[in-house]
Amino acid sequence: MKEKYRAPKGFQDIIPPDSLAWQHIDDCARGTFHRYGYDEIRIPVVEHTEIFSRSIGESTDIVEKEMYTFEDRAGRSLTLRPEGTAPMVRCYIQHGLHTESSPQKYYYSGPMFRYERPQKGRFRQFYQIGAEAFGIDDPYIDAEMMSMIRDFLYCVGLGSLTYEVNSIGCVKCRPDYKKALHDHVYSRIDRYCDDCKRRYETNIMRVLDCKVPGCVEASGDAPLIRDFLCEGCKEHFNSFRDYLGLMGVEHSVNPRIVRGLDYYTRTIFEITTTELGSQNAVVAGGRYDKLVEDLGGPPVPGVGFALGMERLAELISGKMSNKMPVPDLFIICMNEDARKAGVAVAHELRERGLRCETNYTYASLSKQVKRADKAGARYVFVIGTDEVQRGIVKFKRLSDAKEGEIALDDHESMIKIISDNGS
Ligand code: HAM
């Protein structure tokens, strides 16, 4: 049957068993972030458009061409969030969280929206889990954050990804670098693509990020920010790397990473894989020491990251497909009276944490057992007229057909039998 409706382009459903990988990622994130002292914040999906244009930058790809912006019925310009950092900063300022003792460390998760050209690993609605730490400019926290990401990725089952770091300086040293880069690009502007010619005017550092072969070649010998860092930024970066070493976070410096959002200062990083084709970044982030102030808050530094759920889920999906949960038992009730007797059994066993399925139609016993077997149930419990009269339930272990009877109200024995794995 050909379906009449499909999800819009770039939007997707996550169905079992894929959703298992997502749950696993969620569990690892919550567990790991909790151990590092991060608490959850839930932010809205929609914000005032200005929050993004002022923070991500007017001349970035996201703000220029990727935002889902609309007017509400009162004529206000709203935008479906393309990322979570700016909303988190807005939330941080709005609730006066800076008045609490530093640092304030939070995580968030949920869908983000960017009108990008969909392809493998790139969607118009995609999920991020992110974390932000406010109030500390010591690079120790940047390194600790990467150590937290490393622990999280280990938990997920991804021990061998590439960790790349860089520093893009601060308001003091970056202008000199940008000038040098401008001069370099200008001297060979004809070799750059149209996008880069535009970036030359609006966002020069993004030229280094362009994947078009001609541009990569043209900027091959471009000046690098590391040669322009002021003493403070140099020290910050070196100390960050020393801490990474101390924490055992293996990494390399990639002086060409610049990131696609304007709010970064000093530390930036990307974690990539070779298994996903061109959309290879699974985690990315960095420091943003001016953003809270730029959005109207006090001068509070920040550092954070976000990970792409779809990309991580894709990397582990093969490992998860055999992990679909199976019922511990399947209760087969042969008629309405039996069902009435079975209700209490199912309720009690579920309360004790067992995954308990039951039948919703009264087919023959053999059909029901086949169904239970197909669902992967380890045990079937059968309740019919005879069992109700005798106050018992018959059980059968499907792996070896071991059978027996238990009193209908003897829930302890039921749990013992089911938990008694196989013997
Ligand atoms: P970002 O690099 O734009 O940074 O996104 C972070 C991650 O989200 C990417 O590395 C990628 O895994 C995933 N991602 C981005 N766009 C898409 C897409 N269209 N489809 C699928 N996955 C995608 C940020 O968003 C910053 N807010 C990170 C941050 C937090 N920096 C400081 N704090």
Side-chain angles (χ1 to χ4, degrees):
M1 191 176 82
K2 186 160 166 35
E3 73 281 353
K4 190 168 170 197
Y5 299 113
R6 296 182 70 89
K9 202 172 154 195
F11 291 71
Q12 60 169 356
D13 306 303
I14 309 298
I15 58 176
D18 291 350
S19 47
L20 274 188
W22 286 61
Q23 288 168 5
H24 177 56
I25 295 167
D26 267 335
D27 290 346
C28 286
R30 267 173 217 286
T32 313
F33 300 175
H34 174 77
R35 285 196 292 282
Y36 277 78
Y38 285 72
D39 295 316
E40 185 177 20
I41 284 187
R42 297 198 178 208
I43 41 175
V45 169
V46 168
E47 295 279 347
H48 291 290
T49 302
E50 205 186 329
I51 295 284
F52 300 113
S53 46
R54 287 195 54 185
S55 57
I56 298 171
E58 294 280 5
S59 54
T60 55
D61 284 353
I62 296 179
V63 172
E64 270 188 348
K65 45 190 186 192
E66 294 172 1
M67 295 207 302
Y68 281 89
T69 296
F70 58 97
E71 276 193 1
D72 72 3
R73 286 173 189 273
R76 284 175 289 247
S77 179
L78 299 178
T79 293
L80 290 182
R81 60 184 184 196
E83 60 107 50
T85 307
M88 284 291 282
V89 171
R90 192 266 312 138
C91 164
Y92 176 80
I93 300 168
Q94 181 176 334
H95 297 277
L97 299 177
H98 54 276
T99 56
E100 293 172 16
S101 65
S102 285
Q104 300 91 23
K105 301 185 291 186
Y106 307 107
Y107 71 91
Y108 57 91
S109 62
M112 307 291 158
F113 303 86
R114 295 183 194 174
Y115 193 79
E116 294 194 84
R117 195 169 48 78
Q119 62 181 80
K120 187 174 156 59
R122 190 160 74 187
F123 303 93
R124 290 181 171 166
Q125 174 178 314
F126 58 98
Y127 282 72
Q128 286 185 341
I129 303 180
E132 316 290 345
F134 297 100
I136 304 289
D137 44 30
D138 193 308
Y140 176 74
I141 200 161
D142 308 29
E144 191 191 63
M145 185 167 264
M146 290 203 74
S147 152
M148 176 170 91
I149 299 169
R150 185 263 324 263
D151 291 359
F152 157 77
L153 290 169
Y154 263 81
C155 172
V156 167
L158 297 169
S160 57
L161 299 173
T162 305
Y163 293 54
E164 292 182 318
V165 302
N166 192 19
S167 171
I168 48 165
C170 65
V171 285
K172 262 198 279 167
C173 50
R174 208 182 306 157
D176 283 348
Y177 172 61
K178 279 185 163 178
K179 171 145 193 345
L181 189 58
H182 251 119
D183 293 348
H184 185 273
V185 173
Y186 183 71
S187 68
R188 59 205 65 202
I189 191 74
D190 294 345
R191 292 165 60 188
Y192 283 96
C193 70
D194 287 346
D195 269 347
C196 279
K197 285 188 179 120
R198 200 169 39 81
R199 287 176 188 135
Y200 168 77
E201 302 287 348
T202 58
N203 204 347
I204 184 74
M205 284 168 72
R206 295 285 292 160
V207 164
L208 296 181
D209 222 15
C210 185
K211 306 280 185 296
V212 174
C215 301
V216 175
E217 218 186 301
S219 60
D221 59 348
L224 296 172
I225 180 86
R226 69 171 171 216
D227 300 321
F228 288 76
L229 294 182
C230 60
E231 276 314 305
C233 287
K234 236 186 255 172
E235 221 173 87
H236 194 274
F237 189 54
N238 290 340
S239 171
F240 165 57
R241 295 199 57 213
D242 287 346
Y243 281 125
L244 285 179
L246 208 63
M247 294 171 188
V249 179
E250 280 182 36
H251 66 279
S252 57
V253 177
N254 180 349
R256 300 178 66 88
I257 315 179
V258 289
R259 308 281 298 124
L261 305 100
D262 280 358
Y263 48 64
Y264 291 110
T265 51
R266 295 188 159 172
T267 312
I268 50 172
F269 54 85
E270 281 183 3
I271 300 175
T272 54
T273 169
T274 48
E275 288 174 39
L276 289 178
S278 66
Q279 301 307 310
N280 61 355
V282 289
V283 184
R287 180 165 274 284
Y288 45 86
D289 289 343
K290 292 277 163 248
L291 183 56
V292 178
E293 224 178 331
D294 286 350
L295 287 182
V300 173
V303 56
F305 70 91
L307 56 92
M309 292 279 278
E310 287 77 4
R311 296 182 191 176
L312 284 178
E314 169 84 21
L315 288 176
I316 61 167
S317 60
K319 297 177 193 158
M320 299 300 293
S321 53
N322 57 355
K323 296 230 164 71
M324 274 305 279
V326 293
D328 293 304
L329 79 154
F330 200 110
I331 301 180
I332 300 170
C333 301
M334 298 306 297
N335 52 48
E336 214 173 313
D337 283 343
R339 174 182 276 171
K340 284 176 184 159
V343 165
V345 176
H347 178 72
E348 189 65 28
L349 297 187
R350 284 173 180 149
E351 283 282 291
R352 309 279 192 101
L354 294 183
R355 188 172 167 114
C356 177
E357 298 271 10
T358 186
N359 56 316
Y360 299 102
T361 56
Y362 302 118
S364 71
L365 182 60
S366 64
K367 265 196 187 153
Q368 303 281 12
V369 173
K370 253 189 216 150
R371 228 171 257 171
D373 197 28
K374 197 165 168 226
R378 294 196 298 117
Y379 280 84
V380 289
F381 281 17
V382 181
I383 309 174
T385 308
D386 179 48
E387 286 77 12
V388 173
Q389 276 167 8
R390 292 173 52 214
I392 57 125
V393 40
K394 285 199 176 119
F395 73 84
K396 182 173 184 178
R397 187 161 63 202
L398 292 178
S399 60
D400 57 3
K402 181 181 165 185
E403 289 178 319
E405 292 181 2
I406 320 177
L408 258 170
D409 57 0
D410 187 359
H411 304 134
E412 284 307 324
S413 299
M414 291 176 187
I415 289 178
K416 198 156 171 284
I417 282 168
I418 294 165
S419 317
D420 184 11
N421 228 346
S423 53

